[in-house]
Amino acid sequence: MLQLLIGGFIALTVLYGLLSIYFRSVHREGLENRFDSGGEDGLREDFVRQGMVTYDHSLRKRALRLIYVVPVVLIVAIAYVVNHS
Amino acid sequence: MRKLKWAIWGFLALIVVGLLHYNLPQHDVVRITGLDNRQTTVSWVNKYFYASPDSGTAESTTNRYVRLIYTAHPDGSTGTVFRNEDTGWIWPPYFKYDSSSLQAAAANYQSTDAAPKWVQITHYGWRIPILSIYPNAVHVAAVSGPDYTSFPWLNVIILIFLAAAALLARRMWLQFWERVVDPAMADVQEARDRTRGWFARLFGRKP
């Protein structure tokens, strides 16, 4: 049980880190592509930086924290179905 | 070389399929003919196919009582022998801790050839006699008859989820190459070109 808690927390933290890097990278690429396709004013750097600041406060970014919640819910659900039904 | 590559990929695919086949739940419609609680020696050969020593029913690694469920197939032939052990909290992730209750349910369904009660046993694992390993029963439920079948929805969902996870991992890897590794390589290339130019000027040759 303790092994599951500690090991699971470490594994989920690694997964959280990797996924947050990936989604940030995809978002940045999207911003760069949007600027390059034209129609935006100002410097490319400023545009991308502004977009990333917005992203860091967005619900989409915060939704990634569900990665800690979903497995716990899943484990409780599996344990309930296997043992108490 | 290409043959070797295919051999390695085939070997890896075999391992993945084997792991999935061992760990995913399967359903058997059987008649329970008997129960047993057998003193069993778990050796280094088969210890990975038994519950880990720290889980509920298994207090010792080498010697333990293992609950067994004997079954018969609908056609009358001898069915699989199942074991009934707690899984513990790590692997496989069934989080089963009710093996005593499961044994009670199995005892309740025990029946004779003359008055059969058909049950569906959900289990994972393999029966390999030479290793003395048994599939682990996870759930037992009464069914309408020996011809009862059910579609493995859960397995379909799990496989779709795993495929999606593999696809995501691949896309993450490709994104990493595109955004991090390739620009770094381009930088290195550029730096090398610059250095060459500098050396060429130093030694009076045209770059």
Side-chain angles (χ1 to χ4, degrees), chain A residues 1 3-4 18-19 22-23 25-26 28-29 32 75 78-85, chain B residues 54 89-90 93-99 101 138-139 168 171-173 175-176 178-179:
Chain A
M1 189 84 180
Q3 252 177 324
L4 175 74
L18 290 175
L19 279 175
Y22 170 68
F23 285 125
S25 172
V26 167
R28 179 180 289 273
E29 194 175 348
E32 286 173 6
I75 288 172
I78 292 172
Y80 181 80
V81 169
V82 166
N83 298 291
H84 302 281
S85 63
Chain B
D54 59 350
W89 292 96
I90 302 289
Y94 284 86
F95 313 111
K96 175 189 171 196
Y97 48 78
D98 73 332
S99 53
S101 308
V138 178
H139 198 73
L168 178 66
R171 287 195 48 186
M172 284 167 75
W173 180 246
Q175 181 79 2
F176 173 68
E178 185 196 325
R179 302 288 294 184

Side-chain angles (χ1 to χ4, degrees), chain B residues 50-61 64-65 85-86:
Chain B
Y50 281 90
S52 62
D54 59 350
S55 64
T57 40
E59 274 121 27
S60 156
T61 318
R64 63 173 71 159
Y65 280 99
E85 272 193 310
D86 288 350

Side-chain angles (χ1 to χ4, degrees), chain B residues 16 18-19 51 64-65 69 74 78 85 88 93-94 100 102 111 116 118 132 137 153 162 175 178 184 201 205:
Chain B
V16 170
L19 275 173
R64 63 173 71 159
Y65 280 99
I69 302 172
T78 312
E85 272 193 310
Y94 284 86
S100 299
L102 189 71
S111 61
W118 297 104
S132 295
W153 285 110
L162 288 177
Q175 181 79 2
E178 185 196 325
R201 274 202 302 281
R205 278 185 233 138

Side-chain angles (χ1 to χ4, degrees), chain A residues 2-13:
Chain A
L2 197 68
Q3 252 177 324
L4 175 74
L5 286 175
I6 296 171
F9 183 74
I10 293 171
L12 288 178
T13 302

